[in-house]
Amino acid sequence: MKISRKIFSFIMSFVVLTTVFAFTSVFSSKAFADDLPVHLYYTNKLYDNSETSYYVGYIAVKNLGYNQKVTVHYNSNSMGNTWNDIPASYVKTNPSDGYEIWSFQTPTCYEGAGPDNIQYAIKYEVNGQTYWDNNNGQNYFDDALGLSSLYVDNFSGYSKNDNKYISALIKSKKSSNSNTVKLRYSTDNWATYKDVDASLSSSDASYEYWNVNQAISPSTTKIQFAVCYEENGIEYWDNNWGDNYTYTY
């Protein structure tokens, strides 16, 4: 009887230890993923004209040492199975999260025979270590959102019928809130400002696309703005890395 109890106690101890180890492993993996020192902010596809385009992306990098190297490893439809590397360049430190901002730009792609889409991952080399952001092993495709919840895809200003306008196209992650995106603008260097709700124009499986077309005072010579995405009561901003977007008439 005593032997059976010892065996039972051993078995139960083993089960408990195994369970604790399993939960610890899951937690550690999640913590490691969250602590990754390199992440994509977002990538935007820009068009030169109807036949050519290119991609511009922004990357979040933790400063882990003096000699840093950030590279985008990418492949496109026109390249077959060939992969190339694009060096990223330091821009500034992001005032909102403390990451360094690095940017990259792909060569021009020919669109005449259809869209030249890309897939890519980000490599960060520092202190003899190499870190990857490969979207959890799935790579990123085309104009993707990573850490960022939204970005200004394009904007312009124009005059019509004695009024001036600011027009902006915005891309965001999917949201449960029908009024999730707004544009905040100022025409007097932020002495005052106004908020404008963006209108949802379309969506796909992952993203939503919004537009703003706002009339402003005819006397305006310069407008500054930023855009905001709200989800579960939390606001996420694209303010051009702390510099705001500016259009001069």
Side-chain angles (χ1 to χ4, degrees):
M1 187 69 175
K2 290 182 180 180
I3 295 175
S4 298
R5 285 179 179 176
K6 287 182 179 179
I7 294 173
F8 178 78
S9 297
F10 173 78
I11 293 172
M12 289 305 296
S13 299
F14 179 78
V15 170
V16 169
L17 287 172
T18 304
T19 304
V20 171
F21 176 77
F23 277 105
T24 303
S25 297
V26 171
F27 177 80
S28 298
S29 298
K30 185 177 187 301
F32 177 78
D34 290 346
D35 290 340
L36 195 68
V38 59
H39 294 275
L40 176 72
Y41 275 124
Y42 71 83
T43 302
N44 190 9
K45 186 175 187 177
L46 301 175
Y47 290 86
D48 295 312
N49 50 53
S50 60
E51 293 190 345
T52 60
S53 65
Y54 58 96
Y55 292 86
V56 172
Y58 295 92
I59 302 164
V61 176
K62 284 186 179 179
N63 185 353
L64 300 182
Y66 183 74
N67 293 316
Q68 300 166 287
K69 183 179 179 182
V70 182
T71 307
V72 177
H73 190 58
Y74 82 103
N75 183 305
S76 71
N77 292 350
S78 62
M79 294 167 60
N81 293 322
T82 303
W83 288 78
N84 279 351
D85 288 337
I86 308 168
S89 302
Y90 172 80
V91 178
K92 61 182 291 187
T93 297
N94 190 350
S96 66
D97 60 21
Y99 279 108
E100 290 184 353
I101 303 166
W102 289 59
S103 69
F104 69 92
Q105 178 175 320
T106 69
T108 296
C109 304
Y110 179 63
E111 301 265 336
D116 193 11
N117 300 321
I118 66 169
Q119 63 170 308
Y120 52 100
I122 301 162
K123 181 169 67 172
Y124 175 35
E125 298 170 273
V126 63
N127 298 330
Q129 299 292 318
T130 299
Y131 305 93
W132 285 89
D133 176 16
N134 59 7
N135 194 21
N136 295 317
Q138 301 176 23
N139 291 329
Y140 290 102
F141 287 82
D142 304 327
D143 43 354
L145 280 160
L147 284 185
S148 297
S149 293
L150 83 168
Y151 66 84
V152 175
D153 183 46
N154 198 2
F155 70 94
S156 63
Y158 64 96
S159 299
K160 182 179 180 182
N161 297 332
D162 298 324
N163 274 322
K164 290 180 178 176
Y165 291 81
I166 184 68
S167 177
L169 302 177
I170 304 158
K171 180 175 180 175
S172 77
K173 294 180 178 178
K174 297 281 281 188
S175 170
S176 58
N177 184 352
S178 60
N179 294 316
T180 191
V181 174
K182 67 183 177 184
L183 179 144
R184 175 170 292 178
Y185 74 93
S186 176
T187 58
D188 55 13
N189 200 30
W190 299 106
T192 61
Y193 65 84
K194 293 182 179 179
D195 289 343
V196 181
D197 288 334
S199 299
L200 180 63
S201 59
S202 63
S203 64
D204 56 32
S206 302
Y207 305 116
E208 294 176 332
Y209 304 86
W210 306 76
N211 59 58
V212 173
N213 193 44
Q214 177 66 21
I216 58 177
S217 170
S219 62
T220 300
T221 58
K222 183 177 74 172
I223 185 171
Q224 297 169 284
F225 71 92
V227 295
C228 176
Y229 167 97
E230 183 177 342
E231 180 72 356
N232 297 322
I234 301 174
E235 291 185 339
Y236 305 89
W237 288 86
D238 174 12
N239 60 5
N240 194 25
W241 314 117
D243 295 329
N244 294 316
Y245 293 94
T246 302
Y247 187 87
T248 302
Y249 294 87

